Amino acid sequence: MSALKDKHIILGISGGIAAYKSVSLLRLLRKAGAEVQVVITPHGKEFITPVTLSSLSGNPVVSEFFTANTGEWHSHVDLGLWADAMVIAPATASTIAKMANGVADNMLITTYLSAKEKVFVAPAMDLDMFAHPSTRRNLATLRADGVEIIEPEAGELASGLVGKGRMEEPERIFDVLENYFAEGEHLKGKKILITAGPTYENIDPVRFIGNYSSGKMGFALAGRAASLGAEVVLVAGPVELPVPGSDRIRRIDVVSAAQMMAACEEHFDTADIAILCAAVADYRPAACSDHKIKREGREELTLSLVRNPDIAATLGARKRPGQVVVGFALETDHEIENARAKAARKNMDWIVLNSLRDPEAGFRKDTNKITMICAATGEAVPFPAKSKADVAADILDCIKD
Ligand code: C5P
């Protein structure tokens, strides 16, 4: 039986060519036993008729604030309360912008603003529109508000151009929804400590030793863990990322490895799971100059470095029964052997292996390609390249048992 059976789903449709695919999504949802209420924007109706949608959903399609002939008011508040989830597919650039800014000038947006449960958005637009800084900004706002973005695919677009912007296939959108309900909130009541990003080790007041870690993987893990019900403490090195939108995430900003260590020590004992994703600097300057180091009169400058604490190893050594420690390994050769040895050395339960030989893995990318290695069994499970959001889901899924 599908996890979507008897679930109340609002299907929001805005005005894009991909609206024809919403029919397939609607049919899949109905076949799985979900109750579907379609809300369509005025432009959406130019792409697909409400008659098709009402026949397939078994419910009148909502589009206007009032029914024209009776003056009956359609309550977006009731709809929002009724829904177990809302999915907007296709979501045009305009609808995404209105959602991000609360421009409530149609029923779809008012319903979105009243929706209490999870909202999914499947963007569909031309590649230039999708890549535009305005769209990127609006999507980042939605993400920060807790909306899950179902990334569009790269492919042929209605304009004839080829690029990223084609709405994800209905089957895949359906899978995202079904997984959401199947997994429920299996991390509810769990406290998860996550480290993310780089650390900066100060040389003087204006210079530091750092690395290229973007923090994206750790932030994706925090967002996913919170949407699965966990209480997350996200210890973030210096990164620009907005905290994933959830009141279940407490972000602690740190700069150096020593500060990250202190924050982790404070929160580890009460955590059920620690996921150590940060790229912690291995060394720091032995002394940080309190004034800017001048180059005058020096042909060479030698910095003396001292070892930083290994956060993963320290927490691993302190682990009590039942606690789970997950680490990362970025390797260039003999990847699996090296990663297994690292997990053993640091007393980790799982290690997430990235290989620098994979073009989809590594710093600053939006994708990642991992192999999950279980310390207890030694088993190594490879995954294909995916978005970091999907990789986060796989990691949390692996460690749950
Ligand atoms: O030994 P290596 O740096 O490859 O180990 C990587 C793993 O150890 C990652 O999970 C990383 O977050 C963690 N680590 C740490 N503190 C350090 C160095 C690495 O927590 N000082």
Side-chain angles (χ1 to χ4, degrees):
M1 191 179 73
S2 168
L4 276 157
K5 180 152 173 36
D6 298 329
K7 292 287 182 267
H8 294 173
I9 309 294
I10 300 173
L11 172 58
I13 300 177
S14 58
I17 302 281
Y20 76 92
K21 292 193 198 168
S22 313
V23 174
S24 309
L25 177 59
L26 172 53
R27 294 195 59 188
L28 288 167
L29 290 168
R30 294 288 290 144
K31 245 174 93 179
E35 280 256 13
V36 184
Q37 174 64 66
V38 176
V39 182
I40 191 165
T41 64
H43 280 119
K45 286 191 284 187
E46 292 173 21
F47 290 88
I48 183 152
T49 74
V51 179
T52 309
L53 299 164
S54 62
S55 339
L56 290 173
S57 67
N59 282 316
V61 170
V62 176
S63 181
E64 315 300 333
F65 291 113
F66 297 96
T67 304
N69 50 356
T70 62
E72 183 197 354
W73 181 62
H74 296 139
S75 170
H76 51 88
V77 179
D78 288 350
L79 252 184
L81 292 175
W82 170 86
D84 296 308
M86 179 171 187
V87 55
I88 297 146
T92 59
S94 158
T95 287
I96 288 167
K98 288 182 186 180
M99 289 172 71
N101 294 286
V103 181
D105 67 351
N106 67 45
M107 259 310 265
L108 192 154
I109 308 294
T110 48
T111 306
Y112 163 65
L113 294 176
S114 301
K116 294 273 174 293
E117 299 294 336
K118 189 81 180 167
V119 178
F120 299 86
V121 160
M125 64 196 77
D126 230 331
L127 71 162
D128 299 331
M129 296 173 80
F130 188 69
H132 196 280
S134 151
T135 307
R136 312 303 311 156
R137 211 165 41 236
N138 289 329
L139 284 171
T141 303
L142 289 185
R143 266 192 209 102
D145 291 342
V147 172
E148 186 162 333
I149 312 296
I150 304 172
E151 289 285 324
E153 300 176 300
E156 198 172 316
L157 300 160
S159 60
L161 298 172
V162 176
K164 191 165 173 178
R166 199 168 77 170
M167 188 175 90
E168 182 55 276
E169 292 305 324
E171 292 74 17
R172 168 80 186 105
I173 299 175
F174 174 82
D175 285 348
V176 170
L177 288 166
E178 195 175 45
N179 285 342
Y180 170 72
F181 286 107
E183 287 175 4
E185 297 205 314
H186 74 249
L187 292 175
K188 204 172 180 70
K190 299 264 191 240
K191 179 173 164 186
I192 305 196
L193 171 65
I194 297 175
T195 65
T199 64
Y200 286 178
E201 311 298 327
N202 287 344
I203 299 170
D204 68 16
V206 294
R207 302 182 181 97
F208 59 84
I209 296 174
N211 61 66
Y212 289 123
S213 170
S214 64
K216 285 179 185 170
M217 192 63 243
F219 276 59
L221 277 162
R224 181 72 186 184
S227 73
L228 292 173
E231 295 296 327
V232 178
V233 175
L234 174 62
V235 182
V239 290
E240 291 296 319
L241 298 173
V243 64
S246 167
D247 51 8
R248 297 204 186 108
I249 302 176
R250 174 168 166 211
R251 174 176 180 165
I252 302 175
D253 284 306
V254 297
V255 176
S256 65
Q259 289 169 353
M260 189 173 271
M261 179 83 243
C264 288
E265 290 203 293
E266 189 183 333
H267 291 280
F268 181 66
D269 291 341
T270 51
D272 301 286
I273 301 170
I275 307 181
L276 307 166
C277 201
V280 185
D282 289 324
Y283 294 90
R284 66 176 182 277
C288 171
S289 166
D290 55 9
H291 58 271
K292 189 177 169 196
I293 300 173
K294 300 265 189 269
R295 66 175 170 274
E296 285 77 19
R298 296 179 200 264
E299 277 316 302
E300 274 184 29
L301 175 66
T302 306
L303 279 180
S304 169
L305 303 178
V306 293
R307 272 288 280 273
N308 264 334
D310 189 317
I311 302 172
T314 310
L315 301 186
R318 205 163 114 177
K319 191 170 67 171
R320 58 178 158 72
Q323 265 182 321
V324 174
V325 174
V326 183
F328 279 68
L330 181 63
E331 304 289 338
T332 53
D333 58 289
H334 300 91
E335 288 92 339
I336 294 192
E337 271 169 74
N338 284 341
R340 278 197 188 120
K342 189 164 294 179
R345 208 164 52 239
K346 302 195 187 197
N347 200 22
M348 292 165 171
D349 300 281
W350 289 91
I351 195 151
V352 184
L353 167 65
N354 299 129
S355 169
L356 265 189
R357 286 195 279 185
D358 283 322
E360 301 92 346
F363 286 150
R364 289 183 166 173
K365 302 237 165 70
D366 288 320
T367 54
N368 200 357
K369 187 164 180 294
I370 61 162
T371 300
M372 287 294 290
I373 301 176
C374 172
T377 63
E379 200 189 353
V381 184
F383 287 84
K386 299 183 180 193
S387 72
K388 285 188 172 166
D390 287 345
V391 172
D394 288 339
I395 293 171
L396 292 169
D397 198 42
C398 269
I399 66 171
K400 77 170 184 247
D401 312 310

